[in-house]
Amino acid sequence: MLKAKAAELSVITTESLKSSIEPVFELLPGQAPSPPRPGQPTAIAKSTLTETRHFLDAIDQLWGGRYYADVRHLVSSEHGLEAWWAFINAGFALSRPVAWPVPVVALDDVVDIGQAFALAATCADGLAIRIKMPVAPSSNLPDTLMGVSARTGLAVDRIDLILDWSNEVENYPLDLLEHQTAQLIARLVEKVRRISVIGTLDDSDVAGAGSWTRDRREWWTWLRLRDAGWDVDFGDYALFAPKPPGFGRPTYGHLRYSYGDKVRIDRFDSRSAGSLKAAFTECCRNLHASGAFCGGDHCDSDRRIASIVGGESSTGGAGQWREISFRHHIRLVDDQLSTPQASPVPGTP
C-alpha cells in the first residue's frame, strides 16, 4: 500500500526482486499552497487533477505492469468518487496506456457508482474490493459479491479482495487475528480471483525524539494463514501508518527499519543535532549500534546507512530517508517470502 511518493516509485522501478510485487497506490490530494512571504505573490496550489494525470502517465511508463489505484483520499465535495473514476477512465481512453490501473473500491462504493469505473475494471481485467477488518460473522459477503458482479458486469472470478487490518493489528491477540481472517477467507476463497491480507503498525504514540520497536503483526498473521494452508498474498503499508503523509519541512530526522519480525523507529531532533542531516545521521548511528542492523552487505540501503555512519556518504533529504527505509524493507520482505520462517506459536499475544 503506497502513497505514490517519488521515493516509493524509485524503489519499485529499480529493484530486482525474486518475488512479484503489485503496488496499490493511494492517490492523494495536491499540495496546499504555502503562506506568502512579505512582498511576494500568493502561492498557487498544485492541481490535484494535474498531479493525478502526471502520476498515472509516469507509472504507466515506469512500471508497465499490473497495479492498483485507490482514489478515495481524493474525494471532496467538489470531486466525488464517481467524478474521479470518470476522469481517470477518460484520460486512459485517450492515451492508450500499457496497463490500466485496477480500481480499488469499498463495498459501499460499488453499490453507489458501479458504472463509474466500469471501463477501468474491464480494461484492467478486474476490480479490487478493500474490506475493512474485522468483519462481523453475520455479514453476507458472498451474496454482496454477486451484487457487485451484477452492477459492474464483471464475473466474480475477476474480483480481488484486500482484507485490510490497517493499524488495528496491534489491538487483537494473534490467535483472534488469524481466526477472524481465516473465517472470512473460507467463505470467499472459491468465489474470487485472489485474496490479499494487509496491515501495518500503529505509530500514534511516535512523537518527539526517541526509539520505538513494534512487532510486524501483519507478517505474523500471514505466516499463520500460510501454515494453515490458505493461499493468500501478503501485503503491508511499507512501514508507515495508514494516514496520508503531511506536507511541510520536517523538524526531526526519522528512520524506519524492519528486521526479522520487528520494526524499529528512530527520531532525533534537528534542533539538538544542529541540522536535519545531522539528526538523520544520529538516527543511523543509533540503528547501527542497536543490534537490529542487518549489516552493510544486506542491500543498497544498508550500505548507504553504514556509509552515513562512517561519514563517507551524505544523508540527503527526507524523501531519500523514506527511500532508504523502503528499499531495505522491500528487500527484506522479498527474502522472507522466498524462505518464510515458522509462524508464532498459539497463545502469542
Side-chain angles (χ1 to χ4, degrees):
M1 306 297 298
L2 304 178
K3 303 296 185 185
K5 306 288 283 185
E8 298 167 344
L9 297 181
S10 174
V11 173
I12 66 170
T13 55
T14 57
E15 278 293 305
S16 174
L17 301 166
K18 295 185 287 294
S19 301
S20 63
I21 292 175
E22 293 187 351
V24 180
F25 293 109
E26 297 184 283
L27 302 180
L28 304 174
Q31 184 169 350
S34 302
R37 296 179 180 179
Q40 297 295 318
T42 301
I44 299 174
K46 293 181 181 179
S47 164
T48 299
L49 284 169
T50 301
E51 286 191 337
T52 302
R53 181 68 259 171
H54 286 172
F55 169 76
L56 293 171
D57 287 341
I59 196 64
D60 181 47
Q61 297 173 31
L62 292 170
W63 183 248
R66 184 184 181 88
Y67 71 100
Y68 296 74
D70 187 333
V71 303
R72 281 177 295 165
H73 286 301
L74 301 178
V75 173
S76 66
S77 57
E78 181 181 1
H79 299 293
L81 192 60
E82 184 172 8
W84 273 108
W85 277 111
F87 163 68
I88 291 172
N89 285 340
F92 273 114
L94 290 172
S95 59
R96 301 190 180 189
V98 174
W100 287 65
V102 179
V104 178
V105 296
L107 285 173
D108 291 344
D109 299 335
V110 181
V111 171
D112 294 336
I113 57 161
Q115 295 304 310
F117 45 77
L119 179 58
T122 301
C123 293
D125 190 32
L127 171 72
I129 300 176
R130 192 170 173 179
I131 298 177
K132 180 176 175 57
M133 299 293 287
V135 172
S138 59
S139 300
N140 195 5
L141 281 176
D143 287 348
T144 304
L145 286 175
M146 294 303 297
V148 170
S149 175
R151 287 185 179 88
T152 60
L154 290 172
V156 178
D157 61 6
R158 290 174 60 194
I159 295 176
D160 304 332
L161 296 183
I162 301 173
L163 307 186
D164 185 3
W165 280 99
S166 188
N167 58 351
E168 294 293 316
V169 288
E170 295 186 20
N171 295 330
Y172 297 88
L174 183 59
D175 292 349
L176 186 58
L177 283 171
E178 178 196 357
H179 176 70
Q180 294 205 2
T181 309
Q183 271 194 324
L184 191 57
I185 293 171
R187 295 164 59 196
L188 301 173
V189 69
E190 298 297 331
K191 302 181 182 301
V192 297
R193 177 167 55 190
R194 63 194 298 191
I195 297 177
S196 303
V197 179
I198 67 172
T200 191
L201 55 82
D202 182 358
D203 65 357
S204 57
D205 65 335
V206 173
S211 297
W212 296 260
T213 300
R214 295 285 186 274
D215 295 318
R216 292 174 54 213
R217 296 177 63 81
E218 68 283 353
W219 175 241
W220 284 356
T221 304
W222 181 84
L223 286 172
R224 282 283 194 86
L225 294 168
R226 181 214 56 166
D227 286 353
W230 296 113
D231 181 16
V232 295
D233 295 327
F234 168 76
D236 65 18
Y237 285 72
L239 303 183
F240 282 83
K243 62 182 182 294
F247 297 115
R249 180 177 172 82
T251 56
Y252 288 86
H254 189 113
L255 176 61
R256 299 189 177 213
Y257 190 87
S258 52
Y259 63 103
D261 58 0
K262 310 287 185 186
V263 176
R264 178 184 170 94
I265 303 173
D266 282 289
R267 283 167 59 91
F268 203 90
D269 194 335
S270 62
R271 292 163 292 188
S272 300
S275 69
L276 277 171
K277 290 186 175 182
F280 186 71
T281 298
E282 288 301 317
C283 293
C284 292
R285 287 174 177 163
N286 290 341
L287 168 66
H288 196 268
S290 69
F293 187 54
C294 292
D297 293 333
H298 179 259
C299 68
D300 287 345
S301 283
D302 293 287
R303 281 187 284 276
R304 177 79 178 274
I305 291 170
S307 180
I308 290 171
V309 171
E312 297 100 24
S313 179
S314 170
T315 64
Q320 291 188 38
W321 307 346
R322 192 180 186 105
E323 181 176 337
I324 288 170
S325 293
F326 183 37
R327 193 177 296 279
H328 165 82
H329 179 64
I330 208 169
R331 176 60 62 183
L332 179 81
V333 171
D334 187 57
D335 291 342
Q336 290 179 327
L337 288 172
S338 299
T339 55
Q341 76 253 38
S343 60
V345 298
T348 299

